[in-house]
Amino acid sequence: MTLDRKGKALLVLALVTVVAMAFRVSWNALRDVARAIGADDTAATLYPFVVDGLMALALVATLVLVGPDRTFALRVLGTYTLASLVLNYVHGLVPSLHGESVDWGRLADWDPANYALVLLATSLPVGAIYFGSDLVAKILDHRPDATAPAGPVPVCGPVTGESARLPHTPAHPAEQPAIPAAQPPALTAPEAPSLLVTGHADAVRDADPHTPHAVRTDGDDVAEETLRQAQFEEARLERIRQDARRVYAESAQAGRPVSARALGDAFGMSESWGRKQILAVRDGEEPSRPQLRALGTAAV
């Protein structure tokens, strides 16, 4: 059964009433403890608001926050509740605290217990400043829909057959451009048997058209499959080589040629492999460069 709006309002009002009455009961004990540890009348009057006020703030934070922040708010609420309980208990054991008939700074006859109680009572205001500001910051930064993703977030860009282009502008002019590891090209369906296979089959049939077809064996199928796999692998490697050469050519045109090691690492290859691709690009550019030839003088 769910509560309607009026029922929720009554529930909140009842909670506020209980908290207010509990604060009034605890206020007397905390004020007397504050006076016993040396607080003046104004500080002793405000002391209960520091302790129980932070408890109220932590209670609100547990209703608003979620996840680890809510766990943190619950720990603050539990810690200050326990501390307030201890001080109220001490006040009940030492009723003379209310009449100011005890020695200044004495909450217990046993020295270790007295030191611990005084440390607890004096550290609560300082902790209220730290934990209170942290809780308020978490509440202000909280977004109710921050944990729920609005939709599927693509990890990579759109899937295409073309390799992603690399940025040309490095973070620092003196550094080499960072080349992300290239993804392997998308796998395509195996190509049809090459002319070598089909031509061989036609030559066998043309030799004697009246000869019945030979029965295919498992060895023939394995040989053709091996050939197709070899052709496919070679095509894939050639595509990677073309991509690497294009990357180097573009970096060279931009005036920041990549090194052989960086090129090899970007495509999952070795430095020598990257050097071969760079040499292939340079060899391809040689014919387009003007060459000077010495002209000999004709013999008279």
Side-chain angles (χ1 to χ4, degrees), residues 109-258:
D109 295 334
W110 187 40
D111 287 341
N114 180 69
Y115 296 152
L117 291 174
V118 172
L119 177 62
L120 174 64
T122 54
S123 62
L124 289 180
V126 180
I129 298 174
Y130 174 78
F131 293 117
S133 59
D134 195 7
L135 289 174
V136 171
K138 292 180 183 298
I139 293 175
L140 295 178
D141 293 339
H142 175 66
R143 298 294 181 269
D145 56 347
T147 56
V153 180
V155 179
C156 302
V159 179
T160 58
E162 183 180 358
S163 300
R165 295 187 176 273
L166 301 177
H168 297 303
T169 304
H172 193 277
E175 297 177 356
Q176 294 287 350
I179 304 179
Q183 299 293 333
L187 297 180
T188 57
E191 300 177 355
S194 63
L195 295 177
L196 179 62
V197 177
T198 56
H200 177 70
D202 293 339
V204 172
R205 286 195 295 268
D206 293 339
D208 189 358
H210 301 289
T211 302
H213 294 287
V215 179
R216 296 180 60 86
T217 61
D218 294 339
D220 296 335
D221 295 337
V222 172
E224 291 183 4
E225 181 65 22
T226 302
L227 181 58
R228 283 196 297 268
Q229 290 294 337
Q231 292 175 347
F232 175 75
E233 183 66 19
E234 179 60 27
R236 187 182 72 85
L237 293 176
E238 180 61 26
R239 185 176 301 178
I240 295 177
R241 287 193 289 267
Q242 293 297 332
D243 289 343
R245 294 170 187 176
R246 183 175 67 251
V247 168
Y248 175 77
E250 291 176 355
S251 63
Q253 291 177 0
R256 294 180 295 273
V258 298

Side-chain angles (χ1 to χ4, degrees), residues 11 65 71 76 121 146 183 188 199 210 228 230 232 261-262 271 277:
L11 183 63
L65 301 175
T71 303
V76 174
Q183 299 293 333
T188 57
H210 301 289
R228 283 196 297 268
F232 175 75
R261 178 183 294 275
E271 180 180 359
Q277 309 315 313

